[in-house]
Amino acid sequence: MARLIRNKVIPSNLSTRFLNSPSSLLTHPQTISKRSLQTLAYEEMQANPNKPYTHTALILHGLLGSARNWRSFSRNLASCLSTSPSSEWRMVLADLRNHGKSVEIEGLDPPHDMVNAAKDLGNLVNSKGWDWPDVVIGHSMGGKVALQFAQSCVNREYGENVKLPKQLWVLDSVPGKVTSENSDGEVENVLQTLQNLPSMVPSRKWLVNHMIELGFSKSLSEWIGTNLKKSGEQETWAFNLEGAVQMFHSYREMSYWSLLEHPPKGLEIAIVRAEKSDRWDTDVINQLQRLAGQKGDGSAGKISVHVLPNSGHWVHVDNPKGLLEIVAPKVKCLF
């Protein structure tokens, strides 16, 4: 089984490693300035932690989520990909700005948008002196952060030594602008509700019951409840709500159709649409199918489209096995 790593010491149980302090940064003189970069919190995971890794996948969560949401899937993916003696995959699960452990990090300044969320990832790679990730997987808002990361790599915004990932996975995230016409307003209602709540609530049970009383589903209310953390006798949010709201607005406004229309050479952008997701309209689906059906001459990258059966938007919860069966074989084909 894959295990999380802390400071390269491998205990018998699951452990976590976070980067959230300038004092723990490694400099990379070719790609960053002398000023220390404030970088994201993250977790690392390998199937065989005692072996040096040969490839890296970067995993990005969605709005109001965190790295821990993707531990189970990442663990299984690492195990599935690391079956060859010459192939050892490392999963890097990042907490995006305003989310998870990255909330505790100072210096991740506004604007809180897709461009800066992706730039944080570039800063993380540069500050650690890592090789650039081979694969980037982003869910929901994380999918658009992944697309922005690829676009910024193309533009050499993270330094001259930057390398594009070979695969970019966008999980149930519409690549264009999200307008009120193709949104049911649920996310907006959740955010507005949370903004109207006090910053401290009595308990998780109180919050879940309150959300249900306001008309939200039990499953959604319980998931919102997982985003609380203890603060004395009460509980508070594990995310920076105002910063997350700003990121959501940027997520809605940004469009990456131009990147999909002209994918850079060497990059495959794989779009996964959840079969039961309500986030896709017919025009978007048809446009993606058209792009995926184009036959190139090898001078550009390519687009692939996949449908995850028996799944709503929460792909890693609704059908993690099916998602693994889509992702793992395609990754293996490239390496």
Side-chain angles (χ1 to χ4, degrees):
M1 292 294 288
R3 286 182 285 168
L4 297 174
I5 307 170
R6 176 185 288 139
N7 298 330
K8 299 183 180 179
V9 177
I10 314 302
S12 59
N13 61 343
L14 218 66
S15 61
T16 304
R17 172 178 164 184
F18 296 114
L19 175 65
N20 57 11
S21 170
S23 64
S24 65
L25 300 183
L26 299 177
T27 58
H28 196 294
Q30 293 181 331
T31 51
I32 63 172
S33 67
K34 293 181 180 179
R35 181 178 63 84
S36 293
L37 295 169
Q38 292 280 10
T39 58
L40 300 173
Y42 68 93
E43 302 177 7
E44 290 179 275
M45 182 184 294
Q46 285 180 234
N48 306 289
N50 291 320
K51 292 176 60 177
Y53 62 84
T54 57
H55 302 96
T56 297
L58 181 59
I59 314 295
L60 309 177
H61 62 81
L63 183 71
L64 305 186
S66 67
R68 67 180 184 178
N69 300 145
W70 283 85
R71 284 177 183 170
S72 179
F73 177 82
S74 299
R75 183 183 302 118
N76 291 330
L77 181 60
S79 295
C80 188
L81 295 177
S82 302
T83 54
S84 166
S86 60
S87 182
E88 176 64 29
W89 278 81
R90 174 183 65 148
M91 305 287 127
V92 175
L93 291 68
D95 278 334
L96 298 176
R97 57 169 53 213
N98 300 306
H99 294 76
K101 294 289 183 179
S102 291
V103 172
E104 302 168 9
I105 300 174
E106 297 180 358
L108 299 177
D109 298 325
H112 298 301
D113 55 20
M114 297 300 95
V115 172
N116 277 323
K119 185 179 179 181
D120 294 337
L121 302 173
N123 288 344
L124 176 61
V125 175
N126 279 327
S127 67
K128 296 299 292 180
W130 290 339
D131 290 334
W132 292 88
D134 302 285
V135 173
V136 180
I137 302 173
H139 173 240
S140 194
M141 183 183 73
K144 276 198 169 177
V145 175
L147 289 167
Q148 179 61 54
F149 178 80
Q151 184 64 68
S152 295
C153 286
V154 171
N155 297 338
R156 301 289 178 188
E157 293 174 18
Y158 307 143
E160 289 302 313
N161 295 325
V162 66
K163 290 184 179 180
L164 269 171
K166 292 184 179 180
Q167 277 187 350
L168 195 75
W169 288 85
V170 181
L171 308 181
D172 210 53
S173 183
V174 177
K177 287 188 176 183
V178 179
T179 64
S180 55
E181 287 75 22
N182 56 16
S183 171
D184 63 4
E186 182 181 53
V187 177
E188 294 90 333
N189 291 338
V190 168
L191 292 175
Q192 185 174 17
T193 298
L194 299 188
Q195 286 178 300
N196 289 333
L197 289 175
S199 59
M200 306 284 286
V201 298
S203 68
R204 184 168 299 177
K205 182 179 180 181
W206 179 92
L207 176 67
V208 171
N209 290 337
H210 182 71
M211 297 289 288
I212 292 173
E213 289 173 1
L214 293 175
F216 295 100
S217 69
K218 182 179 179 182
S219 59
L220 176 61
S221 301
E222 289 177 342
W223 179 76
I224 293 295
T226 66
N227 289 287
L228 289 172
K229 61 181 180 180
K230 272 287 186 183
S231 179
E233 295 298 315
Q234 294 187 303
E235 307 228 15
T236 189
W237 300 117
F239 45 73
N240 174 357
L241 181 56
E242 294 307 317
V245 169
Q246 293 174 41
M247 293 177 75
F248 174 67
H249 291 321
S250 175
Y251 157 81
R252 290 192 58 169
E253 289 298 317
M254 294 297 289
S255 175
Y256 296 96
W257 280 118
S258 60
L259 180 65
L260 271 65
E261 294 277 359
H262 307 285
K265 184 178 180 179
L267 173 64
E268 177 181 2
I269 301 176
I271 308 290
V272 176
R273 175 173 63 87
E275 181 184 37
K276 298 180 180 179
S277 174
D278 58 3
R279 302 181 180 225
W280 301 85
D281 62 36
T282 303
D283 290 342
V284 171
I285 293 171
N286 290 340
Q287 190 170 357
L288 287 173
Q289 293 291 355
R290 177 182 62 81
L291 293 174
Q294 291 178 347
K295 293 185 178 180
D297 57 5
S299 62
K302 61 181 181 179
I303 306 297
S304 62
V305 178
H306 313 267
V307 178
L308 179 62
N310 304 315
S311 177
H313 181 62
W314 308 105
V315 293
H316 55 305
V317 175
D318 293 346
N319 190 0
K321 183 175 182 291
L323 182 60
L324 189 67
E325 290 171 350
I326 291 173
V327 174
K330 284 192 70 68
V331 174
K332 278 188 173 182
C333 284
L334 281 181
F335 302 94

